[in-house]
Amino acid sequence: MTATHSSRMIILGSGPAGLTAAIYAARAGLAPIVVQGIQPGGQLTITTDVENYPGFADVIQGPWLMEQMQKQAEHVGARMEWDHISSVDLSQRPFRLTGDSGNVYLGDTLVIATGAQARWLDLPTEERLKGKGVSACATCDGFFYRGKKVIVIGGGNTAVEEALYMTNHSHDVTLIHRRDSLRAEKILQERLFAHPNIKVLWNREIARFLGEGTPEVLVAAELRDTTSGAIERIDIEGAFVAIGHVPATELFKGHLELDSDGYVKVQTGTTHTSVPGVFACGDVMDKTYRQAVTAAGTGCMAALDAERFLAEMDFESVETHLLQEA
């Protein structure tokens, strides 16, 4: 049986941004509904050690942190719905969202916290060998490559963090980067260069992955020199693609203003989008920081922005009603 759910605030996404928005909105009496999406808890549910989230002296586990956030949100009055939104109508309020379940969600405000997904190289051989040696998440799959030779592709924080993480499992980790310098934070670079089990191949990109056997598994990668074009082979058993993320905004194309990379555009210093009453927070609008703590911070902002928006709308409605009665 399908149903219609109404709330003063609908929140899409249940990572740090969405759940923080839910906590603040619930405490403001807005009774928010959180539609959890295809990955409840967001990317932190596939992150093991978290050591940079404020408030914890010791390393904590990502899934545990998200479990605690959800419990807190529910404790103060947020409602969780296990559904994935397949269509939206933002042309009028209340906004109308339809889930894969057939359920309809009506919200006076909408907070978008759908996050971002890993970016791939888009090579035919990559697609064929996904899950057979090629992965986009070292913390998810690193255990399976214990004692094996692996490569990590990329040059930003994610790539360096994944290379460092893989040294927990492998004594032979190679970072492949298409340029001659990294974009990662200085402290991460220092850790990378100081680690005896990591080497870096500069000015290289993946030409193709090579598989063998039945069933086929990854055995090597062909690297292209970005300066000379020369091809070389490196024998490996695991490859981790760590070249960034794609914001989950496909649903909102044609409904909201997006930037050239597909991130939701917000007014500077706020979470207001191009549609009044719709707010965006977390990785879906943040291409620069993409940290759990910044996502949580913008989730707080979105809830406060939405609360103020509703208060203004309610005030205008009362004023209009009084004028009509006068």
Side-chain angles (χ1 to χ4, degrees), residues 199-218:
K199 57 180 174 288
V200 181
L201 289 180
W202 304 104
N203 299 313
R204 304 289 202 286
E205 63 184 6
I206 304 296
R208 63 172 179 154
F209 294 107
L210 303 174
E212 290 181 1
T214 305
E216 186 180 27
V217 294
L218 178 71

Side-chain angles (χ1 to χ4, degrees), residues 87-143:
S87 66
V88 299
D89 181 359
L90 308 182
S91 62
Q92 59 183 350
R93 295 177 54 237
F95 304 119
R96 182 184 180 90
L97 300 88
T98 305
D100 286 343
S101 64
N103 288 346
V104 173
Y105 303 87
L106 302 176
D108 294 327
T109 57
L110 170 64
V111 171
I112 300 170
T114 47
Q117 303 297 320
R119 188 186 300 275
W120 295 89
L121 297 169
D122 292 331
L123 298 171
T125 51
E126 173 190 61
E127 185 64 32
R128 193 173 76 241
L129 290 167
K130 281 181 184 177
K132 303 171 185 176
V134 177
S135 169
C137 181
T139 53
C140 314
D141 302 329
F143 176 81

Side-chain angles (χ1 to χ4, degrees), residues 103-287:
N103 288 346
V104 173
Y105 303 87
L106 302 176
D108 294 327
T109 57
L110 170 64
V111 171
I112 300 170
T114 47
Q117 303 297 320
R119 188 186 300 275
W120 295 89
L121 297 169
D122 292 331
L123 298 171
T125 51
E126 173 190 61
E127 185 64 32
R128 193 173 76 241
L129 290 167
K130 281 181 184 177
K132 303 171 185 176
V134 177
S135 169
C137 181
T139 53
C140 314
D141 302 329
F143 176 81
F144 300 111
Y145 300 91
R146 201 177 237 352
K148 298 181 179 180
K149 183 177 181 179
V150 301
I151 61 172
V152 177
I153 301 110
N157 284 354
T158 301
V160 174
E161 287 170 348
E162 299 229 320
L164 289 166
Y165 173 79
M166 281 309 301
T167 60
N168 296 321
H169 303 295
S170 170
H171 64 281
D172 192 341
V173 179
T174 301
L175 183 71
I176 309 293
H177 187 42
R178 59 182 177 172
R179 298 187 177 91
D180 59 4
S181 63
L182 301 175
R183 304 185 311 278
E185 295 172 6
K186 183 71 171 175
I187 189 171
L188 289 175
Q189 293 193 43
E190 290 173 355
R191 291 180 189 173
L192 180 88
F193 297 140
H195 204 291
N197 295 338
I198 300 176
K199 57 180 174 288
V200 181
L201 289 180
W202 304 104
N203 299 313
R204 304 289 202 286
E205 63 184 6
I206 304 296
R208 63 172 179 154
F209 294 107
L210 303 174
E212 290 181 1
T214 305
E216 186 180 27
V217 294
L218 178 71
V219 296
E222 286 186 351
L223 309 180
R224 181 185 297 110
D225 190 306
T226 57
T227 56
S228 68
I231 299 292
E232 62 184 296
R233 172 182 167 130
I234 178 173
D235 292 329
I236 52 171
E237 295 170 275
F240 297 92
V241 181
I243 57 173
H245 295 80
V246 179
T249 54
E250 187 68 29
L251 183 65
F252 303 104
K253 287 183 178 178
H255 299 280
L256 286 175
E257 188 175 356
L258 309 177
D259 71 11
S260 58
D261 294 317
Y263 288 81
V264 178
K265 274 191 174 183
V266 295
Q267 297 174 23
T268 303
T270 78
T271 61
H272 290 265
T273 71
S274 58
V275 174
V278 178
F279 307 86
C281 55
D283 288 5
V284 78
M285 49 73 80
D286 172 22
K287 67 170 83 171

Side-chain angles (χ1 to χ4, degrees), residues 4-10 31 33 79 94 104-108:
T4 298
H5 305 283
S6 298
S7 173
R8 302 226 72 188
M9 181 188 294
I10 303 293
I33 295 174
R79 193 171 107 211
V104 173
Y105 303 87
L106 302 176
D108 294 327

